[in-house]
Amino acid sequence: MPWFLHLALRQLFPPGKRFPAFATVSILGVGLGVASLLVVQTVMNGFGEEHRLRIRESFGDCVIVGAAPIANPDELVAKLRLDKEVDGATAYAEGPGLLRRGDFSGVAGVRGIDPADKRQPARQYVTAGKFDDLDDGRVILGYGLARNLRAQVGDRIELWSPAMAERAEKGKAPLPAELEVCAIVRTGFTEVDDRAALIPLRRFREIWSLGPRAHGVILRLKNPAQAAATAGRLGVGHPDLRFVPWQDIKKNFLEAIRFEKTMLFFLMFIITLVASFSIGSTLFSAVIRRSREIGVLVSLGSGRWQLVGLFGVQGLLIGALGTALGFVLTWVMLFFRENILGSINAVFGDGEMVANVYQFSKVPLHYDVSDFVIAAAFTLLTTTIAGLVPALWAAGRKPSEAMRDA
Amino acid sequence: MPDVVLQARGLAKAFAAPSGLLAVLTDVSLEVFSGESVSIRGSSGSGKTTLLQLLGGLDEPDVGEVRVLAPGLGLVRPRTSLGRGVGFVFQNYQLMPELTALENVSLAARIAGVDAGPAESAARELLAQVGLIDRLDHLPSRLSGGECQRVAIARALVNKPSVILADEPTGNLDERTGVEIMNLLLGVVAERGAALVLVTHHREFAERVGRRFVLSGGVLSPA
């Protein structure tokens, strides 16, 4: 081991002191900075991942729509199912409808789906009733819509479609479709939950007089991350159809999450920067305090760059140990995140926010290796610079001055 | 005729002061030969420490030049032979507080480029010679002033320098310990064949060396 590294270790961790004040406080400061950065990033990643998953589960990996209803959806679905990237394809139809239950009514975005499709997006979000009970006489309602209609599973509602108005214009008495609520879904997306009414596609076509046509096709892909590329490839040869990958379905929302993460990273970056500056300031004090020792080291033949190494290594070591501590603290804080959140809720009374606002049963997480690599690189860089600046200053001094000033 | 190990010619040094430049040394020349001991006395502020720093390469003269005999290099500027041509003994010992006695001495050898093993062996040998073989693992805070100065003497000698520059080595010690340290310094330095330049207030100590000088008014003259 080079002598300056040995001396740096001894100066940071003097023998006989279990928790040397300077090293302990500096490492703890860096560790907390790194942990706060990574906890925020990991939770934000979790929120982002959870939202992305919900978008895919609620809307599909790729949605195919056209300027006009798709004339022969079954043929298109059969063709798409043959593609090696496509895991599943199902046609759907949708349109506005008026729902009424007694004195309560609401506008719904009614969607006709294939009840037999085991991968229907809404299946996972059923909060009451059974998805598989859906048939021509039943409807599944979004949570918000059901609440507005004061409807529960088993209640009967009336559905009015625009096609009925056309019938009335032709002098036929329109009769609403009477449907029994068989399930309620809650996806967490207000616009879905407050408007969604799901009925079988066959029944939708009947009520909307749509014939065999459909308004779109939902695709499940084997590699959803490549949805944009797959959508582009599948779209070739279908100029009348638009293949929309899930990333574009809620583009602004996803951009907002990404922006939020970037801003939080920036704020946390400043926290870590402040910690690094405090290390720089403390190291500067230590270097000044050790001026006489620096002069002695020069009198012993120490070179300029060895002195830079002596103090630069101390900054690097603080950064490395602080980063390692930060990783451990991150894991501990995230492991006990529900307890921590519970304590915060108990103090500030914001209980159930995660469940009520975000519809998550617990705080979501997603560990991203790149966040850890960036945090470690940034911390090591700033703490090393924090150590190098006073080291360069010390190494540039005349030894006689250093010995006189101390 | 013994070899010249230290040569200073026409040294002058001035420092900035509120009233203008303060000339500390005006024209100092000195030659020290191999194995010789030289003492320099002077009142406080006469420039003894400044002269020693110029001789050791810790500072540069405004005028004049210094040459030191470095092993294998011949007479060179002291800055290029720090730790090898010149060894320092300071008034306040100037040991590294986080290192043990053994580590303090071997550090000087490590800085000079000696590997850890041989450096430790040399340090151990020297510490035995200065009577500290049972204090090897003690930190400076656990050593008395006299013991610290013994460590400092061992450290100054570990790289076999041609000249030792000792700046008031007994200044922080009581009378009895001072005598012990001076006996040790003169004995060990002579035994190791190094030259000694001793800066001291102490007339008796100054008179125990071969040649004696007084620094006054920026000029060095024989006592």
Side-chain angles (χ1 to χ4, degrees), chain A residues 182-226:
Chain A
C182 66
I184 291 170
V185 292
R186 191 176 188 181
T187 65
F189 285 111
T190 309
E191 65 183 73
V192 173
D193 294 343
D194 284 359
R195 295 191 65 222
L198 306 176
I199 59 175
L201 179 58
R202 201 196 67 72
R203 183 80 162 124
F204 185 99
R205 283 169 169 160
E206 189 181 289
I207 297 171
W208 261 260
S209 306
L210 197 62
R213 295 176 297 166
H215 288 126
V217 173
I218 291 174
L219 292 183
R220 292 279 161 197
L221 301 177
K222 285 175 182 162
N223 186 358
Q226 296 297 319

Short mmCIF file of all heavy atoms in Angstrom, two decimals, chain A residues 182-226:
data_model
loop_
_atom_site.label_atom_id
_atom_site.label_comp_id
_atom_site.label_asym_id
_atom_site.label_seq_id
_atom_site.Cartn_x
_atom_site.Cartn_y
_atom_site.Cartn_z
N CYS A 182 -72.93 -6.74 -12.93
CA CYS A 182 -72.35 -8.00 -12.44
C CYS A 182 -70.98 -7.80 -11.80
O CYS A 182 -70.48 -8.68 -11.11
CB CYS A 182 -72.26 -9.03 -13.56
SG CYS A 182 -71.08 -8.58 -14.86
N ALA A 183 -70.36 -6.67 -12.06
CA ALA A 183 -69.05 -6.42 -11.44
C ALA A 183 -68.73 -4.93 -11.48
O ALA A 183 -69.31 -4.18 -12.28
CB ALA A 183 -67.95 -7.20 -12.15
N ILE A 184 -67.83 -4.53 -10.58
CA ILE A 184 -67.36 -3.13 -10.57
C ILE A 184 -65.84 -3.17 -10.64
O ILE A 184 -65.19 -3.97 -9.94
CB ILE A 184 -67.84 -2.40 -9.30
CG1 ILE A 184 -69.37 -2.21 -9.39
CG2 ILE A 184 -67.15 -1.05 -9.13
CD1 ILE A 184 -70.01 -1.73 -8.11
N VAL A 185 -65.27 -2.33 -11.52
CA VAL A 185 -63.80 -2.31 -11.67
C VAL A 185 -63.26 -0.95 -11.24
O VAL A 185 -63.92 0.07 -11.35
CB VAL A 185 -63.35 -2.59 -13.13
CG1 VAL A 185 -63.67 -4.01 -13.53
CG2 VAL A 185 -63.97 -1.61 -14.10
N ARG A 186 -62.04 -1.00 -10.74
CA ARG A 186 -61.37 0.24 -10.32
C ARG A 186 -59.93 0.18 -10.79
O ARG A 186 -59.10 -0.54 -10.21
CB ARG A 186 -61.43 0.35 -8.80
CG ARG A 186 -61.01 1.70 -8.29
CD ARG A 186 -61.20 1.76 -6.79
NE ARG A 186 -60.97 3.10 -6.30
CZ ARG A 186 -61.05 3.45 -5.03
NH1 ARG A 186 -61.38 2.56 -4.12
NH2 ARG A 186 -60.81 4.70 -4.65
N THR A 187 -59.59 0.95 -11.83
CA THR A 187 -58.24 0.88 -12.41
C THR A 187 -57.30 1.90 -11.81
O THR A 187 -56.08 1.78 -11.93
CB THR A 187 -58.28 1.13 -13.93
OG1 THR A 187 -58.72 2.47 -14.15
CG2 THR A 187 -59.19 0.16 -14.64
N GLY A 188 -57.86 2.94 -11.22
CA GLY A 188 -57.01 4.01 -10.70
C GLY A 188 -56.96 5.20 -11.65
O GLY A 188 -56.54 6.28 -11.26
N PHE A 189 -57.39 4.97 -12.88
CA PHE A 189 -57.48 6.10 -13.82
C PHE A 189 -58.89 6.66 -13.74
O PHE A 189 -59.87 6.00 -14.11
CB PHE A 189 -57.19 5.63 -15.25
CG PHE A 189 -55.74 5.39 -15.49
CD1 PHE A 189 -55.26 4.11 -15.68
CD2 PHE A 189 -54.84 6.45 -15.51
CE1 PHE A 189 -53.92 3.89 -15.89
CE2 PHE A 189 -53.50 6.23 -15.71
CZ PHE A 189 -53.04 4.95 -15.90
N THR A 190 -59.00 7.89 -13.25
CA THR A 190 -60.30 8.49 -13.01
C THR A 190 -61.15 8.49 -14.28
O THR A 190 -62.35 8.19 -14.24
CB THR A 190 -60.12 9.94 -12.51
OG1 THR A 190 -59.20 9.90 -11.43
CG2 THR A 190 -61.42 10.53 -12.04
N GLU A 191 -60.49 8.81 -15.41
CA GLU A 191 -61.28 8.92 -16.63
C GLU A 191 -61.86 7.57 -17.05
O GLU A 191 -62.86 7.51 -17.75
CB GLU A 191 -60.44 9.51 -17.76
CG GLU A 191 -59.30 8.60 -18.17
CD GLU A 191 -58.43 9.24 -19.24
OE1 GLU A 191 -57.71 10.16 -18.89
OE2 GLU A 191 -58.51 8.78 -20.38
N VAL A 192 -61.21 6.49 -16.65
CA VAL A 192 -61.73 5.15 -16.93
C VAL A 192 -62.80 4.80 -15.90
O VAL A 192 -63.92 4.41 -16.25
CB VAL A 192 -60.60 4.10 -16.91
CG1 VAL A 192 -61.17 2.69 -17.04
CG2 VAL A 192 -59.61 4.39 -18.02
N ASP A 193 -62.43 4.98 -14.63
CA ASP A 193 -63.33 4.55 -13.56
C ASP A 193 -64.64 5.34 -13.53
O ASP A 193 -65.67 4.82 -13.13
CB ASP A 193 -62.62 4.68 -12.21
CG ASP A 193 -61.45 3.71 -12.09
OD1 ASP A 193 -61.42 2.75 -12.90
OD2 ASP A 193 -60.58 3.91 -11.24
N ASP A 194 -64.60 6.62 -13.93
CA ASP A 194 -65.80 7.45 -13.85
C ASP A 194 -66.72 7.28 -15.07
O ASP A 194 -67.84 7.79 -15.07
CB ASP A 194 -65.42 8.94 -13.74
CG ASP A 194 -64.95 9.28 -12.34
OD1 ASP A 194 -64.94 8.36 -11.49
OD2 ASP A 194 -64.56 10.44 -12.10
N ARG A 195 -66.20 6.56 -16.11
CA ARG A 195 -67.03 6.50 -17.32
C ARG A 195 -67.25 5.09 -17.85
O ARG A 195 -68.16 4.87 -18.64
CB ARG A 195 -66.36 7.32 -18.44
CG ARG A 195 -66.29 8.82 -18.13
CD ARG A 195 -65.88 9.60 -19.36
NE ARG A 195 -66.86 9.52 -20.42
CZ ARG A 195 -66.56 9.37 -21.71
NH1 ARG A 195 -65.31 9.28 -22.08
NH2 ARG A 195 -67.51 9.29 -22.62
N ALA A 196 -66.40 4.15 -17.43
CA ALA A 196 -66.41 2.85 -18.10
C ALA A 196 -67.66 2.02 -17.81
O ALA A 196 -68.08 1.88 -16.66
CB ALA A 196 -65.17 2.06 -17.72
N ALA A 197 -68.24 1.51 -18.88
CA ALA A 197 -69.31 0.51 -18.77
C ALA A 197 -68.98 -0.56 -19.81
O ALA A 197 -68.85 -0.25 -21.00
CB ALA A 197 -70.67 1.15 -19.05
N LEU A 198 -68.78 -1.79 -19.35
CA LEU A 198 -68.36 -2.86 -20.25
C LEU A 198 -69.52 -3.83 -20.49
O LEU A 198 -70.14 -4.30 -19.53
CB LEU A 198 -67.17 -3.62 -19.64
CG LEU A 198 -65.96 -2.76 -19.23
CD1 LEU A 198 -64.91 -3.64 -18.55
CD2 LEU A 198 -65.36 -2.06 -20.43
N ILE A 199 -69.76 -4.08 -21.76
CA ILE A 199 -70.78 -5.07 -22.12
C ILE A 199 -70.19 -5.97 -23.20
O ILE A 199 -69.18 -5.60 -23.82
CB ILE A 199 -72.09 -4.39 -22.63
CG1 ILE A 199 -71.79 -3.51 -23.86
CG2 ILE A 199 -72.73 -3.57 -21.52
CD1 ILE A 199 -73.04 -2.92 -24.49
N PRO A 200 -70.77 -7.13 -23.44
CA PRO A 200 -70.23 -7.99 -24.49
C PRO A 200 -70.30 -7.29 -25.86
O PRO A 200 -71.24 -6.53 -26.13
CB PRO A 200 -71.14 -9.21 -24.46
CG PRO A 200 -71.71 -9.22 -23.07
CD PRO A 200 -71.85 -7.78 -22.70
N LEU A 201 -69.31 -7.57 -26.71
CA LEU A 201 -69.23 -6.93 -28.03
C LEU A 201 -70.50 -7.25 -28.84
O LEU A 201 -71.03 -6.38 -29.55
CB LEU A 201 -67.97 -7.43 -28.76
CG LEU A 201 -67.73 -6.88 -30.17
CD1 LEU A 201 -67.64 -5.36 -30.16
CD2 LEU A 201 -66.45 -7.48 -30.77
N ARG A 202 -70.93 -8.49 -28.74
CA ARG A 202 -72.12 -8.88 -29.51
C ARG A 202 -73.32 -8.00 -29.14
O ARG A 202 -74.04 -7.51 -29.99
CB ARG A 202 -72.43 -10.35 -29.19
CG ARG A 202 -73.27 -11.05 -30.23
CD ARG A 202 -73.85 -12.34 -29.66
NE ARG A 202 -74.82 -12.08 -28.61
CZ ARG A 202 -76.03 -11.58 -28.81
NH1 ARG A 202 -76.44 -11.31 -30.03
NH2 ARG A 202 -76.86 -11.37 -27.79
N ARG A 203 -73.50 -7.75 -27.85
CA ARG A 203 -74.61 -6.92 -27.35
C ARG A 203 -74.42 -5.46 -27.78
O ARG A 203 -75.37 -4.78 -28.12
CB ARG A 203 -74.62 -7.04 -25.81
CG ARG A 203 -75.75 -6.31 -25.15
CD ARG A 203 -77.05 -7.11 -25.22
NE ARG A 203 -78.01 -6.63 -24.26
CZ ARG A 203 -79.22 -6.23 -24.57
NH1 ARG A 203 -79.64 -6.27 -25.82
NH2 ARG A 203 -80.06 -5.84 -23.63
N PHE A 204 -73.15 -5.00 -27.74
CA PHE A 204 -72.87 -3.62 -28.15
C PHE A 204 -73.28 -3.40 -29.60
O PHE A 204 -73.92 -2.41 -29.96
CB PHE A 204 -71.35 -3.34 -27.98
CG PHE A 204 -70.97 -1.90 -28.26
CD1 PHE A 204 -70.80 -0.99 -27.22
CD2 PHE A 204 -70.79 -1.44 -29.56
CE1 PHE A 204 -70.44 0.33 -27.47
CE2 PHE A 204 -70.45 -0.11 -29.82
CZ PHE A 204 -70.28 0.77 -28.77
N ARG A 205 -72.87 -4.39 -30.45
CA ARG A 205 -73.21 -4.25 -31.87
C ARG A 205 -74.72 -4.16 -32.07
O ARG A 205 -75.21 -3.41 -32.93
CB ARG A 205 -72.65 -5.46 -32.64
CG ARG A 205 -71.15 -5.37 -32.87
CD ARG A 205 -70.60 -6.68 -33.37
NE ARG A 205 -69.23 -6.56 -33.84
CZ ARG A 205 -68.42 -7.59 -33.96
NH1 ARG A 205 -68.81 -8.82 -33.63
NH2 ARG A 205 -67.20 -7.40 -34.41
N GLU A 206 -75.42 -4.91 -31.25
CA GLU A 206 -76.90 -4.93 -31.35
C GLU A 206 -77.46 -3.57 -30.94
O GLU A 206 -78.26 -2.98 -31.66
CB GLU A 206 -77.39 -6.03 -30.41
CG GLU A 206 -78.84 -6.38 -30.51
CD GLU A 206 -79.14 -7.48 -29.49
OE1 GLU A 206 -78.70 -8.63 -29.71
OE2 GLU A 206 -79.77 -7.17 -28.44
N ILE A 207 -77.01 -3.07 -29.79
CA ILE A 207 -77.56 -1.80 -29.27
C ILE A 207 -77.15 -0.62 -30.15
O ILE A 207 -77.91 0.32 -30.34
CB ILE A 207 -77.09 -1.58 -27.80
CG1 ILE A 207 -77.63 -2.70 -26.92
CG2 ILE A 207 -77.54 -0.23 -27.26
CD1 ILE A 207 -77.07 -2.71 -25.49
N TRP A 208 -75.93 -0.68 -30.68
CA TRP A 208 -75.42 0.44 -31.49
C TRP A 208 -75.67 0.24 -33.01
O TRP A 208 -75.22 1.03 -33.79
CB TRP A 208 -73.92 0.62 -31.25
CG TRP A 208 -73.60 1.73 -30.28
CD1 TRP A 208 -73.20 2.99 -30.59
CD2 TRP A 208 -73.65 1.67 -28.87
NE1 TRP A 208 -72.99 3.73 -29.46
CE2 TRP A 208 -73.27 2.94 -28.35
CE3 TRP A 208 -74.01 0.68 -27.95
CZ2 TRP A 208 -73.23 3.23 -27.00
CZ3 TRP A 208 -73.97 0.99 -26.61
CH2 TRP A 208 -73.58 2.25 -26.13
N SER A 209 -76.33 -0.84 -33.34
CA SER A 209 -76.61 -1.17 -34.74
C SER A 209 -75.32 -1.13 -35.56
O SER A 209 -75.24 -0.51 -36.62
CB SER A 209 -77.61 -0.17 -35.34
OG SER A 209 -78.79 -0.11 -34.56
N LEU A 210 -74.32 -1.80 -35.06
CA LEU A 210 -72.99 -1.71 -35.68
C LEU A 210 -72.73 -2.82 -36.69
O LEU A 210 -71.77 -2.76 -37.46
CB LEU A 210 -71.93 -1.77 -34.56
CG LEU A 210 -70.54 -1.30 -34.89
CD1 LEU A 210 -70.54 0.18 -35.28
CD2 LEU A 210 -69.60 -1.52 -33.70
N GLY A 211 -73.58 -3.83 -36.67
CA GLY A 211 -73.34 -4.95 -37.57
C GLY A 211 -72.12 -5.72 -37.13
O GLY A 211 -71.82 -5.80 -35.95
N PRO A 212 -71.36 -6.28 -38.09
CA PRO A 212 -70.18 -7.07 -37.71
C PRO A 212 -68.94 -6.22 -37.43
O PRO A 212 -67.88 -6.74 -37.15
CB PRO A 212 -69.96 -7.96 -38.93
CG PRO A 212 -70.45 -7.12 -40.07
CD PRO A 212 -71.57 -6.27 -39.56
N ARG A 213 -69.09 -4.93 -37.57
CA ARG A 213 -67.91 -4.07 -37.48
C ARG A 213 -67.45 -3.87 -36.02
O ARG A 213 -68.15 -4.21 -35.08
CB ARG A 213 -68.23 -2.69 -38.10
CG ARG A 213 -68.51 -2.78 -39.60
CD ARG A 213 -68.93 -1.44 -40.15
NE ARG A 213 -70.17 -0.97 -39.54
CZ ARG A 213 -70.61 0.29 -39.63
NH1 ARG A 213 -69.90 1.18 -40.30
NH2 ARG A 213 -71.74 0.65 -39.06
N ALA A 214 -66.25 -3.33 -35.89
CA ALA A 214 -65.70 -2.99 -34.56
C ALA A 214 -64.97 -1.65 -34.68
O ALA A 214 -64.61 -1.23 -35.78
CB ALA A 214 -64.74 -4.08 -34.07
N HIS A 215 -64.79 -1.01 -33.54
CA HIS A 215 -64.11 0.30 -33.58
C HIS A 215 -62.59 0.18 -33.47
O HIS A 215 -61.87 1.11 -33.79
CB HIS A 215 -64.63 1.19 -32.46
CG HIS A 215 -66.00 1.68 -32.70
ND1 HIS A 215 -67.05 1.50 -31.79
CD2 HIS A 215 -66.58 2.30 -33.76
CE1 HIS A 215 -68.16 2.02 -32.26
NE2 HIS A 215 -67.90 2.50 -33.48
N GLY A 216 -62.15 -0.95 -32.97
CA GLY A 216 -60.70 -1.10 -32.84
C GLY A 216 -60.31 -2.50 -32.40
O GLY A 216 -61.16 -3.35 -32.17
N VAL A 217 -59.00 -2.69 -32.32
CA VAL A 217 -58.47 -3.98 -31.87
C VAL A 217 -57.42 -3.69 -30.80
O VAL A 217 -56.59 -2.78 -30.95
CB VAL A 217 -57.83 -4.76 -33.04
CG1 VAL A 217 -57.13 -6.02 -32.55
CG2 VAL A 217 -58.89 -5.11 -34.09
N ILE A 218 -57.50 -4.47 -29.74
CA ILE A 218 -56.48 -4.34 -28.68
C ILE A 218 -55.47 -5.47 -28.84
O ILE A 218 -55.86 -6.63 -29.00
CB ILE A 218 -57.13 -4.43 -27.28
CG1 ILE A 218 -57.99 -3.20 -27.04
CG2 ILE A 218 -56.06 -4.55 -26.19
CD1 ILE A 218 -58.79 -3.28 -25.75
N LEU A 219 -54.20 -5.12 -28.83
CA LEU A 219 -53.15 -6.13 -28.97
C LEU A 219 -52.42 -6.33 -27.65
O LEU A 219 -52.16 -5.36 -26.92
CB LEU A 219 -52.12 -5.69 -30.02
CG LEU A 219 -52.56 -5.62 -31.47
CD1 LEU A 219 -51.35 -5.24 -32.33
CD2 LEU A 219 -53.14 -6.94 -31.94
N ARG A 220 -52.09 -7.58 -27.37
CA ARG A 220 -51.15 -7.92 -26.30
C ARG A 220 -49.86 -8.35 -26.98
O ARG A 220 -49.90 -9.20 -27.88
CB ARG A 220 -51.68 -9.08 -25.45
CG ARG A 220 -52.87 -8.74 -24.64
CD ARG A 220 -52.46 -8.01 -23.39
NE ARG A 220 -53.59 -7.30 -22.83
CZ ARG A 220 -53.47 -6.34 -21.93
NH1 ARG A 220 -52.27 -5.96 -21.55
NH2 ARG A 220 -54.51 -5.73 -21.46
N LEU A 221 -48.77 -7.77 -26.56
CA LEU A 221 -47.49 -8.07 -27.22
C LEU A 221 -46.59 -8.89 -26.30
O LEU A 221 -46.68 -8.79 -25.07
CB LEU A 221 -46.79 -6.77 -27.61
CG LEU A 221 -47.57 -5.85 -28.56
CD1 LEU A 221 -46.80 -4.56 -28.80
CD2 LEU A 221 -47.88 -6.55 -29.87
N LYS A 222 -45.72 -9.66 -26.95
CA LYS A 222 -44.79 -10.47 -26.15
C LYS A 222 -43.74 -9.57 -25.50
O LYS A 222 -43.25 -9.88 -24.42
CB LYS A 222 -44.12 -11.51 -27.04
CG LYS A 222 -45.08 -12.65 -27.36
CD LYS A 222 -44.50 -13.63 -28.33
CE LYS A 222 -45.55 -14.71 -28.63
NZ LYS A 222 -45.27 -15.46 -29.83
N ASN A 223 -43.37 -8.51 -26.17
CA ASN A 223 -42.40 -7.58 -25.59
C ASN A 223 -42.99 -6.17 -25.61
O ASN A 223 -42.75 -5.41 -26.54
CB ASN A 223 -41.09 -7.64 -26.39
CG ASN A 223 -40.00 -6.80 -25.75
OD1 ASN A 223 -40.25 -6.14 -24.73
ND2 ASN A 223 -38.83 -6.81 -26.34
N PRO A 224 -43.73 -5.82 -24.53
CA PRO A 224 -44.41 -4.52 -24.52
C PRO A 224 -43.45 -3.34 -24.62
O PRO A 224 -43.83 -2.27 -25.12
CB PRO A 224 -45.13 -4.50 -23.17
CG PRO A 224 -45.21 -5.93 -22.75
CD PRO A 224 -44.01 -6.60 -23.32
N ALA A 225 -42.21 -3.53 -24.16
CA ALA A 225 -41.25 -2.41 -24.22
C ALA A 225 -40.97 -2.02 -25.66
O ALA A 225 -40.61 -0.87 -25.95
CB ALA A 225 -39.96 -2.80 -23.51
N GLN A 226 -41.15 -2.98 -26.58
CA GLN A 226 -40.88 -2.71 -28.01
C GLN A 226 -42.16 -2.37 -28.76
O GLN A 226 -42.21 -2.52 -29.99
CB GLN A 226 -40.22 -3.94 -28.64
CG GLN A 226 -38.85 -4.29 -28.07
CD GLN A 226 -37.85 -3.18 -28.32
OE1 GLN A 226 -37.82 -2.59 -29.40
NE2 GLN A 226 -37.07 -2.85 -27.31
#
